[in-house]
Amino acid sequence: MPQPSRPYQAVRLSLPASPPAITPGAPAFVPRFDDVPGRVRRRRPPGPYRRLFATPGTRAFTTGTLIARLPMGMFSISAVIMIAGSRGSYALAGAVTATGLAATALVAPWTARLVDRYGQARVAVPATALAVLGSLALLLCVRLDAPDWTLFAAYAATATTPNTGGMSRARWAHLHRGDAAALHTANSFEQAADELCFMLGPVLAAFLCAALFPEAGTLIGAILLLGGVLVFAAQRSTEPPAAPRASASSPLRAPGMPALLVVFLVTGAVFGAMEVVTLAFVDGPAAGAVLALQAGGSCAAGLVYGRVGRSAGLVTTLSAMTVLMCLPLLAAGTGSVLAVAGALLLAGMATAPTMVTGMTTVQRLTPPGQSNEGMTLAVTALLGGIAAGSASGGWVVENMSPATGYAVPVCAAATALAVAGMTKARQP
């Protein structure tokens, strides 16, 4: 349908005789892109880690637990340096640290059960104070040349050290219960933090003992542990509520938990054997740097894994670990330290995803109100596996060769995969 005609109106445009001069102080004539009328400015959505730490109080308790976790990688090597330097016996130093590990395996689950019942702040602070007194007693016994048995007694007293990593994971589980993606990111961050602390701790301990005095690593480690736990415990707003109960059954009775702890035990053997075999293969000052590459690869993989919205599954991550653990065995056949270092970097990338998935499974299987105890049982199984793997790897290195020793972590990873696979197959 034709539109009615409208008369055109003449419009006169008046232009300036000369364009205005543009000076540094003159206003801008071109509008900014964001100032265009009707234009909606789009912002990038925050990443998973930014969303994770947007919750009030999370940065504060994370700072505390990182400070408290750093000494976990310092105490053993500090004790070995301190005792071996004073008594001239690495055998005595190794026996003392092994005694402390055994005591921790026995005491830690009970400490975690008390944390669940009475709250993190009420139990963690006095337990840490007792452990710090044990470290200081060890320092004094070495300094004053006390009898050897006092070293065992003093180091055994450090077994009351609370599982700060487990308590931190319990807070994330409390804050993000029902949000599987956020909990996956939190567990990935925690595993990366563990790898970072165990990578920096031995280096810091060795530096302090060499630069200051032999007891410096133990002393500063005790100060960091107590200070970090005090900062962590002071953040009461993020603390999960205590769960007192008249009759408490262990998380060991939860369906699927025993088999999962066996997986953690055998997985620990992978880590223990890999460390001892690498020290024997490199046999020099570069061994620490080579092992740091494995921890660095695991830390980076953990952070990347945390950006994924879901877990890959324990069988899948253990399959990847089994395959990647073959790389150091193949690289050792060439006799090249550089080849082994690169292989360890790649093999370490399977460590964090496996541990993150395993810890997430522990949280899922653990009954409500027992999260600290459940995760401490997993860590205890892991420590037992590390001890067994260290002994197995050392035996193969001594009776065969360091290159052959890399077969031990491969067999351990394959065993963990078989146990996880059989457990999954039996599930309805």
Side-chain angles (χ1 to χ4, degrees):
M1 179 176 181
Q3 299 291 330
S5 60
R6 297 181 180 179
Y8 290 95
Q9 182 178 2
V11 179
R12 173 176 291 184
L13 298 176
S14 59
L15 299 176
S18 60
I22 300 178
T23 62
F29 289 94
V30 180
R32 293 180 300 174
F33 180 79
D34 291 341
D35 293 340
V36 177
R39 178 74 180 184
V40 178
R41 186 176 184 180
R42 296 183 178 179
R43 296 182 180 180
R44 291 184 59 185
Y49 289 106
R50 180 178 293 183
R51 293 195 302 269
L52 189 68
F53 288 101
T55 305
T58 53
R59 297 185 182 186
F61 87 72
T62 299
T63 301
T65 190
L66 287 177
I67 296 174
R69 250 187 288 191
L70 182 60
M72 297 299 102
M74 298 174 59
F75 282 133
S76 293
I77 191 170
S78 296
V80 169
I81 294 174
M82 180 174 60
I83 296 172
S86 174
R87 306 296 171 95
S89 173
Y90 279 97
L92 175 62
V96 171
T97 55
T99 300
L101 180 62
T104 300
L106 293 174
V107 175
W110 295 98
T111 304
R113 177 173 292 192
L114 292 176
V115 169
D116 285 327
R117 285 188 179 183
Y118 301 106
Q120 294 181 349
R122 292 182 61 185
V123 175
V125 174
T128 301
L130 182 58
V132 168
L133 289 176
S135 295
L136 296 179
L138 176 66
L139 187 153
L140 291 175
C141 290
V142 173
R143 191 75 172 178
L144 300 176
D145 198 21
D148 291 347
W149 68 266
T150 61
L151 306 182
F152 291 91
Y155 204 64
T158 64
T160 60
T161 304
N163 180 11
T164 52
M167 291 192 299
S168 182
R169 289 178 172 90
R171 293 203 177 201
W172 290 120
H174 167 65
L175 294 173
H176 298 288
R177 55 187 181 277
D179 189 346
L183 190 57
H184 170 75
T185 302
N187 286 332
S188 299
F189 171 80
E190 291 295 328
Q191 186 61 37
D194 282 341
E195 298 291 347
L196 182 64
C197 291
F198 278 99
M199 181 172 60
L200 297 179
V203 177
L204 179 60
F207 171 77
L208 291 173
C209 293
L212 300 179
F213 47 91
E215 299 85 2
T218 300
L219 178 60
I220 295 179
I223 295 173
L224 290 174
L225 175 61
L226 182 58
V229 170
L230 289 175
V231 173
F232 176 81
Q235 315 308 316
R236 304 300 293 269
S237 62
T238 56
E239 181 179 355
R245 49 196 182 274
S247 60
S249 61
S250 173
L252 281 171
R253 299 183 180 180
M257 183 66 78
L260 183 60
L261 293 181
V262 173
V263 172
F264 271 91
L265 180 70
V266 184
T267 303
V270 175
F271 306 147
M274 188 70 75
E275 181 176 356
V276 171
V277 173
T278 300
L279 290 173
F281 183 86
V282 178
D283 192 22
V290 172
L291 285 173
L293 283 176
Q294 181 185 1
S298 179
C299 179
L303 292 175
V304 173
Y305 191 56
R307 299 187 67 87
V308 181
R310 55 189 295 271
S311 175
L314 188 58
V315 173
T316 302
T317 55
L318 284 171
S319 300
M321 173 180 280
T322 304
V323 172
L324 291 179
M325 285 299 162
C326 296
L327 298 180
L329 178 61
L330 297 175
T334 66
S336 171
V337 174
L338 290 178
V340 170
L344 286 174
L345 176 65
L346 295 175
M349 292 181 178
T351 301
T354 301
M355 295 305 302
V356 170
T357 306
M359 281 296 182
T360 303
T361 308
V362 169
Q363 292 172 339
R364 180 172 55 84
L365 297 180
T366 302
Q370 296 178 283
S371 58
N372 288 287
E373 185 177 356
M375 284 182 284
T376 301
L377 286 172
V379 173
T380 301
L382 196 67
L383 292 176
I386 290 174
S390 299
S392 302
W395 187 89
V396 173
V397 165
E398 186 174 346
N399 291 275
M400 297 181 184
S401 67
T404 307
Y406 281 111
V408 177
V410 176
C411 295
T415 303
L417 174 61
V419 173
M422 289 187 296
T423 303
K424 184 178 180 180
R426 286 197 299 265
Q427 291 177 353

